[in-house]
Amino acid sequence: MTAFPAASTAAGEMTGVAGWAVGLMESLGGPGAALVVGLDNLFPPLPSELVLPLAGFAAGRGTFTLGSALFWTTLGSVAGAVIVYLLGRQLGHDRTRRLVGRIPLVKTADFDKTAAWFARHGGKAVFFGRMIPVFRSLVSLPAGVERMPFGRFLLYTAAGSLLWNTGFVVAGYLLGEHWPVVERYASIFQYVVFAAIAVAVGLFVVRRVRGRKPV
């Protein structure tokens, strides 16, 4: 006898994104987990901090093995990142520079500085960016725009994704029915990142507006 009935019962008690994600994993197995996690790269409001513990929870219920959960979630992360990378590569450096120059308060010099920084630290940015909310979904774009070698991009993306996914999937696996504890504490980190971004953007706008005032 398999553990699928228990998993189905648990999924049936869930609502919203959690119920949808677990239901998809139970229906499609590992590929379902890959699909849900891959969407995190294309649709940031679907956070991996929620989905990954659910994958561990589903593994604990027998939907698939823990090893399969890690494999498929990491494959999903990489696949989603590759799509964004290819979009950035298609957009290209020159076209992106022109588009950035049209954004209010932003100068092409800002883009040039960012591009130069990415040329020096692109590998670290991709690796650690896989573990930071928001940046996880966005960091693949400049990697494509600046045409980071595809093999190098895959290596850093896979390594960072595997490390990040392992922590959340294993936590969900071990906690079982109490998997929401993982998401709750991860949300705190997410809010800290959002706050830091808001402060940085605010300071940028204030400085840029002040710099435009006549002396």
Side-chain angles (χ1 to χ4, degrees):
M1 183 179 295
T2 67
F4 279 95
S8 298
T9 300
E13 297 173 353
M14 295 181 182
T15 59
V17 174
W20 169 78
V22 172
L24 191 63
M25 293 178 199
E26 290 177 348
S27 300
L28 302 179
L35 177 60
V36 175
V37 174
L39 288 174
D40 174 43
N41 292 269
L42 307 174
F43 191 62
L46 183 65
S48 65
E49 292 86 347
L50 167 65
V51 174
L52 291 172
L54 280 171
F57 168 75
R61 290 288 186 173
T63 304
F64 34 65
T65 66
L66 179 60
S68 293
L70 293 174
F71 170 79
W72 285 107
T73 55
T74 300
L75 180 63
S77 296
V78 172
V82 167
I83 292 175
V84 179
Y85 170 89
L86 293 176
L87 289 174
R89 195 176 179 89
Q90 181 66 30
L91 191 60
H93 177 96
D94 294 338
R95 188 184 304 175
T96 303
R97 189 176 187 273
R98 289 194 298 270
L99 291 174
V100 168
R102 297 175 184 175
I103 301 175
L105 302 179
V106 179
K107 303 176 181 178
T108 54
D110 298 323
F111 174 82
D112 294 336
K113 291 178 182 178
T114 302
W117 180 89
F118 195 87
R120 295 193 303 270
H121 307 288
K124 295 177 183 177
V126 171
F127 176 76
F128 290 107
R130 302 305 310 165
M131 305 175 224
I132 303 176
V134 180
F135 290 99
R136 177 173 53 251
S137 301
L138 300 177
V139 71
S140 302
L141 189 63
V145 168
E146 297 305 319
R147 296 184 178 275
M148 172 183 282
F150 187 64
R152 187 168 174 237
F153 171 77
L154 277 181
L155 176 62
Y156 284 117
T157 297
S161 297
L162 179 60
L163 183 61
W164 177 259
N165 293 0
T166 297
F168 281 90
V169 171
V170 171
Y173 180 83
L174 295 176
L175 288 171
E177 299 284 353
H178 301 291
W179 67 266
V181 173
V182 183
E183 195 270 336
R184 189 178 310 130
Y185 283 100
S187 294
I188 297 175
F189 174 56
Q190 190 176 50
Y191 292 143
V192 170
V193 172
F194 288 159
I197 293 174
V199 170
V201 171
L203 290 175
F204 172 81
V205 171
V206 169
R207 290 174 180 173
R208 191 54 54 88
V209 170
R210 285 181 176 177
R212 285 190 168 190
K213 290 182 178 180
V215 180

